[in-house]
Amino acid sequence: MGDFMAKEVIKLIDIEMSFADKTLFHTDKLIGHIGEVIGIVGNNGVGKTTLLNIICGNTKSTKGRIICDVLCKKFDQNWFSNNDYTNLNNSAGEQQRDFLYKMLCTKQGCLLLDEPTNFMDIQTRENLIKTIKSYKNGIIIIASHDRYFLKNVVTKIWDIENKEIREYIGTYEDYEKQKELHLLKQQYEKEEYIREKKHLETIILNNKEQRLRLEKNKNTKSFEKPSRLAATKDKSTAVKRIDRTIKNVEKRLESLGEINDIPIVQTIHFPEGNFRELHNKYPIRAELLNLYYEDKQLLKDVSFQFANKLKIAITGKNGSGKSTLIKNILDNHPNIILSKMVKFSVFKQFHFEVSSTKNLINYLQEDSNFSRQDIINLLREIGIDASLLNVPINKLSGGQKTRIELLKVFIKDANVVILDEPTNSLDMISIRALEVLIKNYPGLVIFVSHDMEFVKNCADEIYTIENKTLKRYK
């Protein structure tokens, strides 16, 4: 933005959004300037899309006002039905790309982009990044979970968490550092809250026990001796004093309120002895593999060998054959040699949309050799509280369902996990949980992804489909 103060074009003042009696989010003040690229981040369901709709005027906030001095245009995954823009000669992905570029070519006004990189291949994403960087005379506001994309374009972050929109100035890396400090502060406050709450509860309990002893002694017959009458009076005074103490401490306890859990996924420990061992060094191999989609050849005379226990990423342009290769591995194509001991566990796009009425623990124990306690330990490590163990799956939040379904894939009676575009529609917490699951899984993991940050964090080897070949990178 240079050394001058860029023009303010969007102001959100005292904004609150509620549905029925439930507050979705609120903010005192947010300002957007010409030349900024603002990233809106937060877990699924916190209101990112709703905030975009409020800014562009599609949704009215419950409270507050918006001042917008520029024309707003919005792109989301429903753009096909909202715009008269179809070209039968291009794929949906190509039309999505062309429509985005057409919006960006205006180079002015406010562009609101909702998950614009979903289903984009790597090259298309890189081209979009370059185009956004050249958008200097307007403002772009993006809701996204794509960390690589955000790292390359944003100048500011609006983070929606615990019903509050918090602003972080700077790049996405700056946001991550500031966020980490904020989480450490929250963790310290949480620990202080737990200590203080326990301390106050102990005071209340001790005083109540003392009160019961005094009441019991007070009711003992005194035979009306003067000394005992005086003692009884003293006990009554003591009981009243204790009641006042209990009441005051209960007020202090009530004033503490509640503090939100801080879901931080750091590591996961898979218990030993629950996996089918693969003794073949290369449990999946291919020799002179040729693959086609209808009349189009995708792979030509390709040979490869996937080593046991590695984490292998398969990348490439849309339509290059990534999902077709995965399908043929699962179908045991004649030119693909599988070890006899291979047993697959598969996660597909939108696989987590479950409606089971079984409780969480029973649902996870299906097709799994893991004990109840092992599953409880793993749930805790991916940020799922033990209080939810007996809650039906269909009553959980979307983010909780996602992490549970991801965990289910990794605890099945299997030794090779296959993931096809697993990060699409996942929020940040679920993506981080998935990364930890992949890195700590004791078997072989093969995953297809366009999310380069995810690939970088998880892959031991990267295979790219290009010009009908499969190239390996370490």
Side-chain angles (χ1 to χ4, degrees):
M1 294 195 310
D3 297 327
F4 61 92
M5 181 63 71
K7 181 183 177 184
E8 296 178 357
V9 289
I10 293 175
K11 293 182 184 178
L12 286 75
I13 302 167
D14 295 325
I15 293 294
E16 181 178 303
M17 190 67 202
S18 301
F19 293 100
D21 295 328
K22 184 180 179 182
T23 299
L24 187 61
F25 56 73
H26 66 85
T27 183
D28 294 331
K29 189 177 184 181
L30 294 172
I31 296 177
H33 303 82
I34 288 290
E36 286 185 328
V37 180
I38 301 171
I40 301 176
V41 301
N43 296 331
N44 288 340
V46 296
K48 299 185 297 295
T49 297
T50 301
L51 180 57
L52 289 178
N53 285 330
I54 288 172
I55 294 169
C56 70
N58 290 345
T59 300
K60 184 173 175 56
S61 62
T62 309
K63 286 173 57 179
R65 61 195 179 98
I66 295 177
I67 301 169
C68 188
D69 296 332
V70 288
L71 179 66
C72 291
K73 295 182 181 179
K74 182 170 179 280
F75 169 88
D76 59 27
Q77 297 304 313
N78 298 319
W79 68 273
F80 271 121
S81 58
N82 297 336
N83 297 276
D84 183 18
Y85 188 83
T86 54
N87 182 344
L88 297 178
N89 295 320
N90 290 341
S91 69
E94 290 169 329
Q95 291 189 62
Q96 173 179 312
R97 174 201 64 196
D98 294 344
F99 183 75
L100 270 170
Y101 290 162
K102 185 178 179 182
M103 288 177 68
L104 287 160
C105 280
T106 61
K107 298 197 183 239
Q108 58 185 355
C110 175
L111 299 186
L112 306 166
L113 311 181
D114 194 358
E115 298 291 356
T117 62
N118 267 7
F119 311 107
M120 273 191 181
D121 60 34
I122 293 167
Q123 189 56 55
T124 303
R125 184 184 280 106
E126 292 294 340
N127 292 338
L128 178 60
I129 288 168
K130 289 178 184 177
T131 307
I132 286 175
K133 285 181 175 180
S134 68
Y135 196 85
K136 301 295 185 184
N137 297 320
I139 178 172
I140 300 176
I141 304 176
I142 305 165
S144 179
H145 295 128
D146 186 333
R147 292 164 295 174
Y148 176 81
F149 176 63
L150 292 171
K151 281 182 178 181
N152 280 278
V153 297
V154 302
T155 58
K156 180 191 289 184
I157 290 289
W158 290 346
D159 181 12
I160 308 178
E161 184 182 44
N162 296 331
K163 303 177 184 179
E164 179 184 357
I165 306 175
R166 184 184 295 269
E167 182 174 86
Y168 294 85
I169 304 295
T171 65
Y172 188 81
E173 286 94 337
D174 294 331
Y175 155 73
E176 287 185 311
K177 292 173 186 174
Q178 294 174 67
K179 180 77 170 180
E180 185 176 356
L181 291 173
H182 179 62
L183 287 173
L184 287 172
K185 181 172 178 285
Q186 279 186 302
Q187 188 65 43
Y188 173 77
E189 289 172 350
K190 174 86 174 178
E191 290 167 1
E192 286 295 303
Y193 164 83
I194 291 169
R195 276 195 290 268
E196 179 67 6
K197 185 178 181 182
K198 188 175 180 180
H199 172 64
L200 294 176
E201 287 172 342
T202 301
I203 292 174
I204 292 170
L205 181 63
N206 290 341
N207 276 274
K208 284 183 175 179
E209 288 175 351
Q210 186 180 357
R211 189 187 190 286
L212 283 173
R213 287 195 297 271
L214 287 170
E215 285 285 350
K216 184 177 179 181
N217 293 335
K218 187 176 75 171
N219 293 330
T220 304
K221 289 185 178 180
S222 63
F223 302 105
E224 299 189 0
K225 289 184 178 181
S227 60
R228 292 191 177 181
L229 286 172
T232 301
K233 186 176 180 181
D234 289 343
K235 287 174 184 176
S236 296
T237 303
V239 167
K240 288 177 182 178
R241 186 172 62 249
I242 289 170
D243 284 343
R244 284 196 300 271
T245 301
I246 292 172
K247 189 175 181 180
N248 290 334
V249 175
E250 283 178 339
K251 282 183 179 178
R252 284 172 60 192
L253 185 61
E254 187 179 343
S255 70
L256 287 180
E258 292 295 331
I259 193 164
N260 292 302
D261 287 330
I262 305 159
I264 302 174
V265 182
Q266 294 177 327
T267 188
I268 283 176
H269 302 89
F270 284 97
E272 295 180 5
N274 285 329
F275 293 91
R276 291 170 175 256
E277 281 292 329
L278 280 171
H279 302 291
N280 192 324
K281 186 177 180 181
Y282 298 102
I284 300 175
R285 297 181 292 120
E287 296 176 359
L288 301 176
L289 177 66
N290 291 278
L291 291 182
Y292 295 82
Y293 181 75
E294 295 180 350
D295 295 330
K296 180 184 177 183
Q297 186 165 18
L298 302 173
L299 292 177
K300 183 178 180 181
D301 295 334
V302 165
S303 298
F304 62 81
Q305 49 188 16
F306 293 161
N308 189 21
K309 299 187 179 181
L310 286 188
K311 318 310 173 198
I312 293 171
I314 299 175
T315 67
K317 293 182 179 180
N318 285 337
S320 61
K322 303 181 297 297
S323 294
T324 302
L325 174 58
I326 291 295
K327 182 179 184 301
N328 279 273
I329 289 173
L330 293 171
D331 292 344
N332 198 4
H333 184 283
N335 290 73
I336 296 177
I337 302 98
L338 301 180
S339 166
K340 290 181 180 179
M341 295 297 293
V342 162
K343 189 169 183 182
F344 294 109
S345 181
V346 183
F347 179 93
K348 297 179 181 178
Q349 294 179 38
F350 312 116
H351 186 56
F352 53 83
E353 293 180 359
V354 290
S355 57
S356 174
T357 56
K358 291 184 179 180
N359 68 35
L360 191 160
I361 195 72
N362 289 340
Y363 180 70
L364 285 173
Q365 284 187 302
E366 293 175 343
D367 306 318
S368 177
N369 294 326
F370 284 63
S371 71
R372 178 186 175 90
Q373 190 56 52
D374 286 339
I375 291 174
I376 291 171
N377 293 340
L378 287 166
L379 283 168
R380 183 178 62 250
E381 290 172 344
I382 63 168
I384 302 295
D385 193 84
S387 63
L388 299 173
L389 290 180
N390 294 312
V391 175
I393 292 291
N394 61 354
K395 299 296 183 184
L396 298 174
S397 71
Q400 289 166 340
K401 285 182 188 176
T402 301
R403 277 177 277 159
I404 288 161
E405 196 63 21
L406 286 168
L407 179 59
K408 187 177 177 70
V409 171
F410 284 86
I411 64 172
K412 278 188 175 179
D413 181 20
N415 44 35
V416 179
V417 167
I418 303 283
L419 308 159
D420 189 2
E421 293 289 0
T423 63
N424 281 348
S425 303
L426 296 192
D427 58 26
M428 296 291 191
I429 287 180
S430 298
I431 291 172
R432 290 191 179 103
L434 176 58
E435 288 176 349
V436 176
L437 284 165
I438 289 173
K439 286 187 280 190
N440 289 276
Y441 184 69
L444 171 62
V445 180
I446 304 169
F447 62 94
V448 171
S449 182
H450 293 307
D451 184 335
M452 290 312 297
E453 189 73 14
F454 176 70
V455 170
K456 182 183 78 174
N457 289 342
C458 296
D460 297 316
E461 294 183 349
I462 301 171
Y463 286 78
T464 299
I465 299 177
E466 187 177 343
N467 299 323
K468 302 176 186 177
T469 64
L470 189 64
K471 296 182 180 179
R472 185 181 72 164
Y473 303 89
K474 283 193 176 181

